[in-house]
Amino acid sequence: MKSLRVMCLGLLVAGWAAAGCDFKHGSSNNVLEPSAVIPSLLGSWTSQSITPASASDQSCSNFKWNITTQTSSDIAGTFTAVCLGNANISGSGTGHIENSTLSATITGTGSMPNVPNCAFSLSGSGPIAGDTIKLPYSGTTCLGPLSGTVTLKKSDVVK
């Protein structure tokens, strides 16, 4: 009789343990992981350098990206910079955010004295860290290639 009780108690404990394992296993598969929360990027983002690059330099300065729309994974807005020394560029910028990394594409036109306006395109990918985006970029213009790295800082917030 005593061995029957021990066996029943053993089966009961084994049943609870199995049910607990099934519950734990099943519950971990059914829990939705929270998606990464992307902070608001709306507002003006500017580079910290204010000195334009020289004409022989293939980089840009005085970046300003005014981000006006944002979804859970994409941003868009208007963009200006000074490239190749004194070419003022302006256009639109779009970006896709995944795992705190921004992949951006900027397109538009550039103008400079005594040269017809020409199209440009820049793209790059870099990390978002709070109110800072470090973005290595490369691109093309009718005057030649562009490349560099810019650190953009958020300068205001749109509510």
Side-chain angles (χ1 to χ4, degrees), residues 41 63 85 135:
L41 301 178
F63 285 84
L135 196 61

Short mmCIF file of all heavy atoms in Angstrom, two decimals, residues 41 63 85 135:
data_model
loop_
_atom_site.label_atom_id
_atom_site.label_comp_id
_atom_site.label_asym_id
_atom_site.label_seq_id
_atom_site.Cartn_x
_atom_site.Cartn_y
_atom_site.Cartn_z
N LEU A 41 12.40 61.03 -35.04
CA LEU A 41 13.48 61.69 -35.76
C LEU A 41 12.99 62.97 -36.43
O LEU A 41 13.74 63.64 -37.13
CB LEU A 41 14.09 60.75 -36.81
CG LEU A 41 14.66 59.44 -36.26
CD1 LEU A 41 15.17 58.56 -37.38
CD2 LEU A 41 15.76 59.70 -35.26
N PHE A 63 25.43 70.27 -43.85
CA PHE A 63 24.26 69.43 -44.08
C PHE A 63 23.09 69.94 -43.24
O PHE A 63 23.26 70.31 -42.09
CB PHE A 63 24.55 68.00 -43.63
CG PHE A 63 25.42 67.21 -44.55
CD1 PHE A 63 26.80 67.31 -44.48
CD2 PHE A 63 24.86 66.35 -45.48
CE1 PHE A 63 27.61 66.56 -45.30
CE2 PHE A 63 25.67 65.59 -46.31
CZ PHE A 63 27.05 65.69 -46.23
N GLY A 85 33.14 72.24 -52.51
CA GLY A 85 33.59 73.61 -52.25
C GLY A 85 32.50 74.64 -52.22
O GLY A 85 32.27 75.28 -51.21
N LEU A 135 26.80 59.20 -40.46
CA LEU A 135 26.42 58.67 -41.75
C LEU A 135 27.55 58.76 -42.77
O LEU A 135 27.78 59.82 -43.35
CB LEU A 135 25.20 59.45 -42.25
CG LEU A 135 24.38 58.86 -43.37
CD1 LEU A 135 23.78 57.52 -42.98
CD2 LEU A 135 23.25 59.82 -43.73
#
